[in-house]
Amino acid sequence: MKEIVCKLLVIGAGPGGYVCAIRAGQLGVDTVIVESTKAGGTCLNIGCIPSKALIHAAEEFDKVRHMAGATNGLGISVEAPRLDLAQTVRWKDGIVGRLNAGVLGLLRKAKVKIVHGRAHFRDGKTVEVETETGTQLIRAETVVIATGSEPVELPALPFGGPVISSTEALSLPTVPKMLVVVGGGYIGLELGTAFAKMGSEVTVVEATQQILPQYDAELVKPVTKRLTELGVRILTGAKAKGLSNEVLVVEMASGEEKRLAADKVLVTVGRKPRTEGWGLEELDLDRSGRFIRIDERCRTSMRGVYAIGDVTGEPMLAHRAMAQGEMVAEIVAGRKRVWDKRAIPAVCFTDPEIVTAGLSPDEARAQGYEVRVGLFPFSANGRAMTTQQEDGFVRAVARADTNLVVGLQAVGAGVSELSSAFSLALEMGARLEDIAGTIHAHPTRSEGLQEAALKALGHALHI
C-alpha cells in the first residue's frame, strides 16, 4: 500500500475544498486533495454552472419564440425557432469541461497533490483512498472535510425511471411534454421555469402555502406572476403521494386528491449533507442534526479536523463554502482568522431573479429593531424600461435610530449582479446616507439601490 504524508488533507474538491487547497498551496502548506469524481463538486458539474447554462438557453429560446409571428414593439420578426436540447446539453457540458480543467490547473499551479478516488477515514489523521491503481494511505496533520451534499429522495418517489433529480434534469436528451416539479424551492423553480420556456407543460407541487417559502411574499409576487404568464400551474399546500402509469397522485390540504399526468417528475425537496460512504463513523464528531457541528473557525469537536461547506449546514451556498475554505487554509498556515460574516448573499435564478443579503423587514423587526424601509420599483427605472423588463424592485432595510443598513433585497431581471453591492454594503457597515451619497451610473439597474436608500431617508428623487 502506497503511503503519502502531508500537512493538510482536504476531502472533496467542490467549491469549498478546492479553494481551501489552492489557498493552502499558495501559502506553502504541503497539501493533498482527494476527489472521487470530478473537481468542482456539485456546483460546477451538476449544479450551479450547468443549471445557469440551461436557464440561459431557455431564456434565449423563449425570447426568439416570442418574436415569431407576434408584435413585440421592437420591430423585430423572425421565423419560428426550433430547440435541439441534445445540442444545448453538449454546449453546457463544454462549459463544465472548461471550468473543470481550470480548477485542476489551479490546483497544480498551487502545487497541490491531487488524488482521484474514494476516501475512507481510518481515524482523524489517516485516510485510505481507493484509486484505479490500488489503495493509497494518506496521513495528515490536519484534515478538512468538504464532502458536500446530495438531493433528498422522497420515500414515495424514489429516484429512477421518470422520477429524476436535478442531476438528471440537466442532461435530458429531449424536452419533456409534461413535467411535474415536486418542491417549489429555488432549485425546482429555476429548472421548472427553464423547461416551461423550452415548451414543457409544467406543474409545481409545493407542500407549504407559498412557493419559494424561504423568501418573503413581496419578493415572490413578481415570480408568481411570471410563472402564470408562462403557463406554469402552481399547487401549494400539496403533497405528492406516488406515481403510477405516468400519473402523479397529489393530496391537497383539503384532503382532495389530484391526478397529474407526467412524462417526468422532478423531485427538488432539498439537499442533505453527504455523510455516508467516507467513514464518518470512524470519527468522534459532534453533530448538529444531520450536519457536522463547527465553531467560528470551522473546527469540529476533534482536534485537527475541520469541516466546511454543505456538510456543515445552512446556508448551502457555494460562495459560503469558498469563504470558509479560504479561511481554514489561512488558519492552517498560522494566520489568525475567524468566521465573522455580516451577510451571505443568496440568489434565486428564477424569472425574475431574486437576491437577498441580511435581514428582511420582518426579520429585522423580530430582532427588536425599529426599521426604515425604502422600496424602489423598476417600473421607474430607465434601464429597465429600455430592456422591457420592468417587474420588480430594490428594497433597503435600515435601523430607524442609526440608519445602519441591516438588509438589502431585490427582485427583477439580472438583479443577481447586485449581490456584490448588497453584501459589500452590509460587510462594511454602510448607512443609508453612504449608499444614497454614492454616485451610481446612469442608466443602470443599480440606480435602484441608491433610490431605495433615498426612499428610506424620505427623499426619493425619481418616484
Side-chain angles (χ1 to χ4, degrees):
M1 183 183 295
K2 295 180 180 179
E3 184 171 321
I4 299 173
V5 178
C6 61
K7 182 176 177 64
L8 176 64
L9 171 62
V10 182
I11 307 298
Y18 80 70
V19 166
C20 182
I22 289 170
R23 184 63 182 133
Q26 290 173 344
L27 293 168
V29 177
D30 179 22
T31 304
V32 175
I33 191 166
V34 179
E35 173 57 51
S36 60
T37 55
K38 293 182 178 180
T42 294
C43 177
L44 193 158
N45 294 290
I46 53 172
C48 318
I49 298 300
S51 66
K52 302 316 166 278
L54 197 69
I55 287 167
H56 172 69
E59 287 176 347
E60 294 300 293
F61 179 68
D62 185 61
K63 189 184 301 180
V64 176
R65 187 173 59 169
H66 281 83
M67 289 179 179
T71 302
N72 52 56
L74 297 177
I76 300 172
S77 61
V78 298
E79 297 296 323
R82 293 181 295 108
L83 177 68
D84 181 350
L85 185 58
Q87 171 55 34
T88 303
V89 169
R90 287 192 293 272
W91 167 75
K92 175 264 295 181
D93 289 343
I95 294 172
V96 170
R98 285 164 54 199
L99 289 171
N100 180 263
V103 170
L104 291 173
L106 291 169
L107 287 166
R108 294 189 185 103
K109 182 181 178 182
K111 295 181 171 56
V112 174
K113 182 174 178 55
I114 307 164
V115 177
H116 297 282
R118 187 167 297 280
H120 192 278
F121 278 91
R122 278 189 177 183
D123 55 47
K125 303 290 184 184
T126 313
V127 170
E128 285 185 5
V129 183
E130 295 296 331
T131 71
E132 291 182 355
T133 58
T135 302
Q136 281 197 330
L137 192 67
I138 305 176
R139 300 186 191 277
E141 292 180 29
T142 304
V143 176
V144 176
I145 299 169
T147 52
S149 62
E150 56 195 14
V152 171
E153 187 175 52
L154 289 175
L157 291 170
F159 294 131
V163 181
I164 60 176
S165 72
S166 56
T167 301
E168 292 77 34
L170 292 169
S171 295
L172 290 175
T174 58
V175 177
K177 184 175 186 300
M178 292 170 290
L179 174 69
V180 177
V181 179
V182 178
Y186 73 94
I187 297 175
L189 289 192
E190 285 181 4
L191 293 175
T193 300
F195 279 107
K197 289 180 177 179
M198 290 188 286
S200 292
E201 295 178 25
V202 178
T203 301
V204 176
V205 176
E206 167 56 39
T208 69
Q209 294 304 312
Q210 176 191 290
I211 56 171
L212 299 174
Q214 65 271 52
Y215 297 101
D216 64 72
E218 198 169 23
L219 289 167
V220 175
K221 188 180 295 183
V223 177
T224 303
K225 175 188 172 187
R226 178 63 174 138
L227 288 170
T228 301
E229 291 171 355
L230 289 169
V232 175
R233 183 184 183 190
I234 301 172
L235 300 178
T236 55
K239 294 182 179 180
K241 306 297 288 184
L243 179 70
S244 178
N245 298 321
E246 296 188 341
V247 174
L248 181 70
V249 178
V250 175
E251 182 179 344
M252 305 302 292
S254 62
E256 174 193 2
E257 280 194 353
K258 292 185 180 291
R259 302 173 69 82
L260 307 175
D263 300 322
K264 296 289 182 183
V265 177
L266 172 57
V267 178
T268 57
V269 293
R271 297 185 64 84
K272 62 181 180 180
R274 188 174 286 115
T275 55
E276 296 179 0
W278 48 266
L280 176 61
E281 64 277 4
E282 304 298 331
L283 305 178
D284 186 21
L285 298 180
D286 288 347
R287 307 281 284 275
S288 178
R290 297 180 299 176
F291 303 102
I292 297 174
R293 185 188 299 277
I294 56 173
D295 67 5
E296 72 281 1
R297 290 180 173 83
C298 293
R299 296 176 297 195
T300 69
S301 55
M302 289 182 68
R303 184 185 298 274
V305 179
Y306 293 78
I308 60 176
D310 288 3
V311 77
T312 66
E314 298 287 353
M316 289 186 176
L317 298 170
H319 43 280
R320 169 181 177 261
M322 289 175 171
Q324 288 177 321
E326 181 192 17
M327 179 190 73
V328 169
E330 297 201 348
I331 291 172
V332 172
R335 300 191 177 189
K336 290 185 178 180
R337 288 287 305 273
V338 66
W339 182 256
D340 182 23
K341 295 295 175 186
R342 288 177 178 267
I344 303 173
V347 179
C348 181
F349 290 88
T350 44
D351 180 8
E353 296 174 348
I354 298 175
V355 57
T356 66
L359 305 176
S360 70
D362 288 344
E363 289 168 340
R365 294 184 186 106
Q367 291 191 18
Y369 297 124
E370 288 187 27
V371 296
R372 299 180 188 272
V373 179
L375 187 151
F376 184 79
F378 284 122
S379 58
N381 176 269
R383 182 59 176 157
M385 293 178 189
T386 61
T387 57
Q388 297 183 305
Q389 295 172 313
E390 299 179 32
D391 283 346
F393 56 84
V394 181
R395 185 175 67 193
V397 185
R399 288 176 52 165
D401 56 347
T402 63
N403 288 343
L404 180 70
V405 178
V406 296
L408 292 163
Q409 300 88 34
V411 55
V415 295
S416 57
E417 297 302 331
L418 295 178
S419 61
S420 57
F422 286 8
S423 56
L424 184 64
L426 292 167
E427 189 73 19
M428 297 189 74
R431 299 179 188 275
L432 289 171
E433 293 88 347
D434 297 320
I435 297 175
T438 299
I439 297 174
H440 289 63
H442 174 77
T444 65
R445 286 182 174 273
S446 67
E447 291 175 275
L449 174 57
Q450 181 183 28
E451 291 284 354
L454 287 166
K455 180 72 179 295
L457 289 168
H459 51 87
L461 296 175
H462 289 93
I463 189 172

